[in-house]
């Protein structure tokens, strides 16, 4: 691991979440998925980080959750918090790569991933992860999409480089359906949640890092400047994009109707 990544992980290990979201919207997605799941589902949380959403899923659905991440300190944080919340019987941290899932096909009733599918791209992620779902299994993801078609040019350029597959709602839905999924539900993460749950704690963490380390460290400054640029782009966008939560199943629509 190079020094830039060491700084990155040191910062993110201090955050309550490693991406935008909150317990309310995790539970909202759970409510849409629950009617299509067995009473004690087998669950895979991909890119779990320190597990804020993992704990909410475990407390709400029970079952068994394999929580996958490639950074051991995140998994240890999750292990400790699961013990503190008496959820350790439900949560099993697992070191692994989201691009090469170390599980046989048809292993899980539910695959959950908040904010991590962009690391593979939507198309590759849905193709690969879907093979690990049981018949009629459920996949819940959150991923960025455009909320209007004319963002600021700098915002558009930033995300075309960062996430080339980022589309608007109708195009994303069409792509999901072409990949063989049925949309059971979807909803947008409100813009204020980004600030409250993620960017404000991130700004506090950045300030603390700058106090801890000398300003003359160019690697640290570049790492922090990259994160500050992402926040600046988000604020410049003024609501042009956000995470969309998707509750999906392969093939038939299952019980209940999607909400549109």
């Amino acid at each position: 691991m190079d020094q830039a990544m060491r700084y990155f992980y040191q910062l993110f290990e201090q955050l309550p979440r490693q991406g935008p979201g909150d317990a309310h919207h995790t539970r909202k997605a759970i409510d849409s998925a629950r009617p299509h799941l067995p009473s004690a589902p087998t669950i895979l949380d991909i890119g779990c980080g320190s597990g804020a959403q993992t704990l909410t899923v475990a407390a709400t659905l029970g079952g068994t959750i394999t929580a996958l991440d490639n950074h051991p300190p995140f998994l240890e944080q999750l292990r400790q918090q699961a013990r503190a919340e008496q959820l350790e019987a439900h949560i099993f941290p697992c070191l692994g790569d989201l691009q090469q899932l170390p599980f046989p096909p048809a292993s899980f009733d539910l695959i959950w991933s908040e904010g991590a599918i962009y690391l593979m791209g939507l198309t590759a992620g849905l193709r690969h992860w879907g093979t690990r779902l049981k018949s009629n299994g459920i996949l819940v993801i959150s991923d960025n999409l455009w909320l209007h078609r004319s963002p600021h040019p700098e915002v558009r350029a930033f995300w075309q480089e960062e996430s080339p597959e980022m589309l608007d709602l109708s195009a994303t839905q069409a792509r999901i359906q072409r990949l063989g999924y049925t949309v059971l539900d979807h909803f947008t993460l409100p813009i204020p949640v980004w600030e409250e749950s993620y960017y404000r704690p991130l700004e506090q963490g950045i300030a603390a890092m700058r106090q801890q380390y000398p300003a003359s460290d160019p690697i640290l400054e570049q790492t922090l400047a990259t994160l500050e640029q992402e926040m600046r782009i988000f604020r410049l966008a003024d609501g042009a994009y956000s995470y969309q939560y998707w509750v999906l199943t392969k093939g038939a629509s299952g019980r209940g109707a999607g909400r549109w």
Side-chain angles (χ1 to χ4, degrees):
M1 184 187 299
D2 63 24
Q3 187 59 44
M5 288 305 297
R6 289 190 183 94
Y7 283 139
F8 178 87
Y9 278 123
Q10 181 181 342
L11 172 58
F12 276 75
E13 286 166 18
Q14 310 308 312
L15 300 182
R17 306 182 67 93
Q18 285 73 50
D22 61 14
H24 170 77
H25 290 90
T26 296
R27 286 192 291 266
K28 184 174 180 178
I30 290 169
D31 288 344
S32 295
R34 193 201 303 265
H36 309 278
L37 294 170
S39 58
T42 54
I43 303 166
L44 173 62
D45 184 359
I46 298 177
C48 64
S50 59
Q53 73 292 329
T54 318
L55 295 161
T56 300
V57 173
T60 309
L61 285 179
T64 58
I65 304 179
T66 301
L68 182 83
D69 203 274
N70 66 352
H71 187 54
F74 286 154
L75 298 176
E76 183 56 31
Q77 287 177 332
L78 173 56
R79 188 176 288 109
Q80 292 177 11
Q81 194 59 36
R83 189 178 303 119
E85 297 185 22
Q86 299 184 332
L87 292 169
E88 67 270 31
H90 298 282
I91 296 173
F92 300 90
C94 175
L95 186 65
D97 183 351
L98 59 79
Q99 300 193 58
Q100 297 179 330
L101 296 180
F103 312 105
S107 295
F108 300 98
D109 298 304
L110 170 63
I111 293 177
W112 196 280
S113 186
E114 294 192 33
I117 199 167
Y118 86 94
L119 293 167
M120 285 190 73
L122 180 67
T123 299
L126 291 181
R127 282 176 173 160
H128 180 46
W129 298 356
T131 63
R132 271 52 176 186
L133 280 176
K134 295 180 182 178
S135 177
N136 299 317
I138 303 297
L139 176 62
V140 176
I141 59 170
S142 64
D143 194 27
N144 262 338
L145 55 70
W146 296 111
L147 298 178
H148 64 69
R149 295 178 181 272
S150 301
H152 188 285
E154 188 177 354
V155 174
R156 170 73 74 179
F158 177 88
W159 283 109
Q160 282 180 336
E161 181 174 348
E162 237 359 82
S163 183
E165 279 197 283
M166 188 168 157
L167 302 168
D168 64 14
L169 178 62
S170 61
T172 303
Q173 179 182 317
R175 176 167 293 184
I176 288 169
Q177 291 172 333
R178 284 197 300 272
L179 290 166
Y181 290 87
T182 297
V183 179
L184 299 174
D185 196 9
H186 64 88
F187 58 87
T188 305
L189 185 69
I191 297 300
V193 176
W194 287 68
E195 294 283 358
E196 295 161 9
S197 71
Y198 182 47
Y199 283 146
R200 287 178 192 165
L202 181 58
E203 285 179 319
Q204 293 168 1
I206 288 172
M209 289 279 281
R210 285 203 168 108
Q211 288 184 340
Q212 182 177 356
Y213 292 98
S216 58
D217 185 337
I219 298 175
L220 173 64
E221 191 51 42
Q222 180 58 46
T223 302
L224 300 183
T226 298
L227 295 167
E228 289 173 325
Q229 169 72 345
E230 179 189 320
M231 289 187 282
R232 189 184 70 80
I233 289 293
F234 177 80
R235 290 158 182 163
L236 179 63
D238 194 26
Y241 64 88
S242 187
Y243 274 178
Q244 192 80 359
Y245 281 75
W246 297 93
V247 182
L248 311 174
T249 189
K250 291 297 291 285
S253 60
R255 292 181 290 146
R259 184 168 71 241
W260 301 96

